[in-house]
Amino acid sequence: MLGGTLLATSGPPPAGDSAPAGHPPPAAAAAVRSRPDQVPPDQAPPPDQPGPYAVGYQTLIVPNPDRPDRTLTTSVWYPTWKGPTPAAEGPRDGAARYPVASDIAVPSRVALQGRTIAPGRFPLVVISHGSAGSRVQLAYLAEALATHGFVVAAPDHPGDTMIEAAEGRQAPLVELASDRSVDVSNVISAFTDDDCPLSSIVRADAIGVVGFSFGGLTSVVSTVGFLRAPADPRVRAVVGIAPATEVVPARLLGRVRVPALLIGGRLDGAVPFERNARRAFDELTGAHPRYLVTVAGGTHNSFTEICAQAAAARGHEVEDGVRVRLEVTEELTCRPPAIDIDRAHGLATYYTVAFLESRLAGVPGYDSYLTVAAAERHPEGELRVAS
């Protein structure tokens, strides 16, 4: 069960970035039983445009009684009211702020801190960050999904954040390969267990995992298990962005039986496209359907928030290890010949939203965006489809 405040609270959250989760007020719990405002298929917003919701944001704590060292600080984006704030909620809260290092943060242009969740019961997407990354590494994508009616939860994986890596505290990668998968399952449990108040806001039959880099490995193997981590049958769709899947045996990839989307960049020097995303696509023979998006000019971190994070840290005192990581990655990612970062984000958003709307939420019409013909409108992203 979550420790902390509930994101469906009717008032502003406690001060600070993280708050403990508790029980919802009866009125809030009753308001999240259905999703009555789903728009007709012919009026559904395109996947590269914001959906019908505004975005709320909170940071919650997911405890692990069996592993106190793996308490999960988890960012949560969720659908909230669009337009004037309901009178019962009070004044609008400020913009969400996504931590980079120390007291440095990137302010969101979209998400509002601590807003009340909109009425409805929504699909749940868990995001797994890359090695030496952070829970807000794909904030732009989490925001886009929330506007389309998804609850998105992204934990920091203990022992594998940028701060820990910079300070020499990164855990062994073999251990993390198992621990990360267990982290994802613990977050899913925190939002779906019957004794958890948050179970009233998510659809337990519509759970997806999105992962970047090492998180891409985590997402792809989530339904079949990996090393010491058991399979999680609650996961119904997976997305791997620049997925580090080279180490996953072909026989294991062949056991994946849920729809899968893989996105990778041609210029990825950290996790080479052919040996990872392309090879995994070929080996995911049991995943129906499966999609592969090849982004021309995409580097490894083209799909992350690195450019905004590096800009926010510039001119501030930050830990040497963090500063070097930001500067080096920015140099490789945020200027030519790399694809424009906003365009890379747009492609990742377009395909991920379309895929999860179609294959997880079950909204009619979005599969029309997942065709080779439709992909011709986005020439930087070549699409392959296997049904």
Side-chain angles (χ1 to χ4, degrees):
M1 182 184 229
L2 282 170
T5 28
L6 183 72
L7 60 93
T9 123
S10 58
D17 181 56
S18 177
H23 290 273
V32 292
R33 299 300 181 187
S34 62
R35 189 180 177 183
D37 51 347
Q38 194 172 80
V39 294
D42 60 346
Q43 298 177 31
D48 54 355
Q49 297 297 319
Y53 297 98
V55 182
Y57 176 81
Q58 284 196 23
T59 305
L60 305 179
I61 303 299
V62 177
N64 184 339
D66 299 325
R67 291 279 305 274
D69 60 319
R70 297 206 71 78
T71 294
L72 305 175
T73 302
T74 303
S75 289
V76 184
W77 294 261
Y78 51 93
T80 186
W81 309 104
K82 207 165 192 177
T85 305
E89 189 177 344
R92 292 169 67 91
D93 296 304
R97 294 179 59 81
Y98 304 139
V100 179
S102 303
D103 296 325
I104 301 167
V106 177
S108 173
R109 293 174 293 179
V110 176
L112 295 172
Q113 178 75 31
R115 295 293 301 278
T116 299
I117 192 165
R121 199 161 192 164
F122 304 99
L124 171 67
V125 175
V126 180
I127 291 181
S128 177
H129 66 72
S131 185
S134 81
R135 66 186 187 274
V136 295
Q137 195 168 40
L138 302 182
Y140 72 93
L141 182 56
E143 291 174 346
L145 287 167
T147 72
H148 280 263
F150 294 84
V151 172
V152 183
D156 269 342
H157 292 293
D160 203 16
T161 66
M162 180 170 62
I163 300 296
E164 289 166 316
E167 295 176 350
R169 297 187 290 116
Q170 190 171 25
L173 295 182
V174 172
E175 292 182 12
L176 287 168
S178 297
D179 289 341
R180 287 166 141 268
S181 293
V182 175
D183 292 344
V184 168
S185 290
N186 284 342
V187 170
I188 293 172
S189 294
F191 280 80
T192 59
D193 283 355
D194 289 340
D195 63 348
C196 177
L198 296 189
S199 64
S200 64
I201 70 171
V202 300
R203 288 175 47 190
D205 65 336
I207 296 171
V209 181
V210 174
F212 167 72
S213 192
F214 200 175
L217 182 156
T218 303
S219 66
V220 168
V221 301
S222 59
T223 63
V224 293
F226 191 62
L227 300 179
R228 294 182 289 103
D232 195 327
R234 299 170 295 182
V235 178
R236 304 297 176 87
V238 296
V239 178
I241 301 175
T245 48
E246 184 177 5
V247 300
V248 182
R251 59 175 176 76
L252 194 60
L253 292 172
R255 288 170 45 198
V256 175
R257 294 289 188 271
V258 299
L261 167 67
L262 303 177
I263 302 173
R266 281 286 186 196
L267 301 184
D268 192 333
V271 179
F273 175 81
E274 293 291 336
R275 302 204 307 264
N276 289 274
R278 172 62 183 274
R279 178 249 174 182
F281 175 79
D282 291 339
E283 301 290 356
L284 285 167
T285 54
H288 301 293
R290 66 187 190 275
Y291 305 89
L292 174 66
V293 180
T294 308
V295 178
T299 69
H300 189 60
N301 280 281
S302 291
F303 308 104
T304 73
E305 294 278 14
I306 184 62
C307 299
Q309 291 176 335
R314 196 172 297 121
H316 295 271
E317 290 188 11
V318 297
E319 299 89 337
D320 286 343
V322 173
R323 177 181 53 79
V324 170
R325 286 175 181 272
L326 289 172
E327 290 177 354
V328 170
T329 308
E330 180 187 31
E331 181 66 27
L332 295 172
T333 308
C334 306
R335 52 186 58 89
I339 187 173
D340 177 78
I341 194 78
D342 290 335
R343 187 60 188 140
H345 289 183
L347 287 166
T349 297
Y350 175 91
Y351 284 107
T352 302
V353 169
F355 173 75
L356 292 174
E357 285 277 33
S358 173
R359 298 298 168 181
L360 187 64
V363 178
Y366 278 95
D367 54 350
S368 66
Y369 297 102
L370 299 168
T371 65
V372 174
E376 292 177 357
R377 297 195 296 269
H378 305 278
E380 305 100 320
E382 177 188 355
L383 176 67
R384 284 186 59 193
V385 182
S387 55

